Amino acid sequence: MSGLQRVLVANRGEIAVRIIRACHVAGVEAVAVYSDADEKSRWVRMADDAVHIGRSAAQKSYLDPDALLKAARTAEVDAVHPGYGFLSESGAFARAIEEAGLVFIGPRPAVLEKMGDKAAARSAAVSAGVPVVPGTDPIADPEDVPRLAAEIGFPLLLKAAAGGGGRGIRPVRTVEELLDVLPTAQAEARSAFGDPAIYLERAVPQARHVEVQVLADEHGDVVHLFERDCSVQRRRQKLIEEAPAPGLREETRQAITSAAVRLAEHVGYRGAGTVEFLVDGEGGFYFIEMNARVQVEHPITEMITGVDVVAEQLRIAGGERLSLDQGSIERRGAAVELRINAEDPERDFAPTPGEISVLRLPGGPGVRVDTGITQGDRISPFYDSLIAKLICWGEDREQAYARARQALSEFHVEGVASTAGLHRELTSDPELTAGPVHTTWLEQRHG
């Protein structure tokens, strides 16, 4: 199926397990990497080979490009899959992989750099004829801020140009508030992203977060796999995702998916990617960013289309054409994904690292569980706190949520606190199940 022979999985946790599975199905050998904390991890046991890459801290292992390059050479792989997070959207890492004579399973370095810079990505969207939220380019002179803010109109968002994943964003409602937080925002942008550049963007009240999954090969073929709704968020971090987006008008669906394909074609995209939009109450939509990698929530797209997104990544990286065209992609049913984290909602979602003493996972028709842990493993304080993703499919949205509630009733974890209880509450909330909701719904309703 794939032109690749041996792939280094430069990541950890559930996405490492996911990639290793896809490699094995495609007849490709998979090599895991691991830090001190992950030596006995599930993905290491699953892989054909494994290479130690450093100490437990991410900066000393999974975020160390030299350690990963050394591992790739040691394991004699012909490609590197970065998964999501860590170095997955680093143009410098992708370039180093290619300069080493290996295949980076993702976009070309130049495209990663362009789409990783929010201002450059915004400019690309404008050039491609994709609607964007009214806003500015990166601001060179702070004295221009009051004038630019007045032209856009309040409320607005102060954004780090190099930010992503919901980070580097500050809502402001007055020019006085904007001027007050501007120096801090620039300093935080420099510290978090290595770039102090900021820009302004109008806030879209009660907007929905809708994103489109795209696939693009080396031969110029680009398709979409419909859309996902990721509006159930806490502090811009997604908790529940579903596909398709509930209540989206068909004309909006067609327009938003076409816009995503158009942008991918315009920038010469390669691989799997997600184009993210805000959708207002009138059906208008606005580009916000492009995630140039596989997404955490890709399984719900797989559930409604039957397309293996990671398998297509491997095909594309091997130089092959996509296994499908737009006309052959059909949408069936509905799916919802619940992210169960080792966090305590009663303590402001503080992480609760520790040993998983008991873990019972659900099953049944339409139920999929993606996890990188087994009973007896530890949730490490060094990385994200994800325990498992519960993905539930149904013939319609009502059945998908019913299966989600049943899956949650079967899910049981001991040793750490988890967000499972919150998900039980949310999936029974009549406002959510009636849908759709907006991105601030959870904070307004549940605090």
Side-chain angles (χ1 to χ4, degrees):
M1 172 186 163
S2 169
L4 305 177
Q5 301 298 315
R6 192 168 162 90
V7 171
L8 186 82
V9 182
N11 214 297
R12 67 177 303 279
E14 69 87 14
I15 192 61
V17 170
R18 173 73 183 88
I19 296 165
I20 291 168
R21 283 174 170 158
C23 286
H24 287 167
V25 170
V28 176
E29 292 185 352
V31 179
V33 296
Y34 63 93
S35 67
D36 288 347
D38 290 335
E39 181 177 4
K40 297 180 180 180
S41 63
R42 181 180 183 184
W43 61 95
V44 169
R45 300 192 300 268
M46 289 177 63
D48 299 284
D49 196 0
V51 181
H52 177 252
I53 53 169
R55 298 168 63 182
S56 298
Q59 293 286 352
K60 301 292 185 180
S61 51
Y62 301 103
L63 282 171
D64 184 343
D66 293 333
L68 292 167
L69 273 170
K70 182 180 178 181
R73 295 190 186 98
T74 299
E76 298 182 331
V77 300
D78 52 7
V80 175
H81 196 310
Y84 56 70
F86 294 132
L87 296 174
S88 62
E89 293 182 274
S90 168
F93 180 57
R95 183 169 286 106
I97 293 296
E98 293 190 350
E99 289 175 352
L102 305 175
V103 175
F104 180 77
I105 302 180
R108 296 174 183 85
V111 173
L112 274 175
E113 290 164 350
K114 175 182 286 188
M115 302 316 288
D117 182 310
K118 286 192 173 183
R122 175 187 173 90
S123 178
V126 171
S127 298
V130 176
V132 299
V133 181
T136 70
D137 292 328
I139 297 172
D141 187 348
E143 292 188 2
D144 291 335
V145 166
R147 174 182 59 81
L148 293 170
E151 290 175 359
I152 298 168
F154 289 91
L156 53 78
L157 300 175
L158 182 62
K159 290 190 169 186
R167 299 184 301 154
I169 302 173
R170 284 174 173 260
V172 289
R173 297 189 173 278
T174 66
V175 68
E176 292 79 15
E177 183 182 0
L178 174 58
L179 293 174
D180 185 52
V181 303
L182 180 62
T184 303
Q186 290 175 311
E188 288 179 351
R190 179 184 288 107
S191 175
F193 309 111
D195 183 350
I198 55 92
Y199 66 101
L200 303 178
E201 190 174 271
R202 181 186 297 166
V204 180
Q206 296 196 334
R208 297 171 62 186
H209 185 142
V210 177
E211 60 188 30
V212 179
Q213 176 74 64
V214 296
L215 295 171
D217 63 25
E218 292 277 16
H219 308 279
D221 301 317
V222 182
V223 299
H224 71 79
L225 302 181
F226 299 102
E227 83 289 349
R228 302 183 286 254
D229 190 305
C230 306
S231 299
V232 182
Q233 303 178 8
R234 176 185 173 273
R235 298 178 182 172
R236 298 188 176 85
Q237 299 302 307
K238 302 168 185 174
L239 292 179
I240 298 177
E241 301 100 358
E242 55 182 293
L248 196 67
R249 300 171 190 158
E250 189 55 35
E251 58 266 32
T252 303
R253 175 173 289 112
Q254 292 179 12
I256 203 170
T257 52
S258 295
V261 169
R262 193 161 64 247
L263 178 60
E265 291 174 336
H266 178 75
V267 301
Y269 198 79
R270 177 189 71 187
T274 301
V275 186
E276 306 205 353
F277 299 90
L278 292 178
V279 178
D280 64 26
E282 284 71 52
F285 62 91
Y286 310 94
F287 169 81
I288 48 176
E289 66 179 332
M290 184 172 191
N291 290 138
R293 51 172 168 78
V294 68
Q295 290 270 90
V296 179
E297 57 271 26
H298 75 274
I300 53 174
T301 291
E302 295 180 328
M303 297 291 268
I304 67 164
T305 63
V307 177
D308 185 327
V309 171
V310 181
E312 292 300 320
Q313 287 187 293
L314 298 176
R315 290 182 64 93
I316 294 164
E320 299 181 40
R321 287 188 178 275
L322 292 169
S323 67
L324 37 82
D325 57 31
Q326 195 64 64
S328 67
I329 303 169
E330 297 182 353
R331 190 182 78 231
R332 178 171 175 260
V336 59
E337 177 178 294
L338 316 172
R339 301 190 193 187
I340 310 297
N341 295 326
E343 298 172 351
D344 188 350
E346 300 299 320
R347 296 173 50 236
D348 197 29
F349 291 83
T352 57
E355 181 179 331
I356 303 290
S357 56
V358 176
L359 181 63
R360 293 197 294 269
L361 301 176
V367 176
R368 165 178 165 180
V369 181
D370 283 16
T371 181
I373 66 170
T374 56
Q375 186 168 296
D377 289 348
R378 295 188 64 83
I379 299 294
S380 172
F382 297 102
Y383 317 114
D384 72 78
S385 58
L386 182 67
I387 299 173
K389 302 185 310 194
L390 305 187
I391 304 109
C392 300
W393 176 90
E395 290 286 355
D396 54 28
R397 187 170 182 259
E398 183 179 1
Q399 187 181 58
Y401 267 91
R403 285 176 168 170
R405 288 189 290 271
Q406 177 61 31
L408 285 165
S409 74
E410 296 179 30
F411 179 86
H412 184 72
V413 61
E414 293 181 12
V416 298
S418 84
T419 56
L422 174 63
H423 282 291
R424 293 185 186 102
E425 177 184 349
L426 292 178
T427 54
S428 298
D429 191 301
E431 285 192 12
L432 176 59
T433 54
V437 299
H438 52 79
T439 56
T440 57
W441 169 80
L442 178 61
E443 291 170 352
Q444 290 176 1
R445 184 166 177 81
H446 295 270

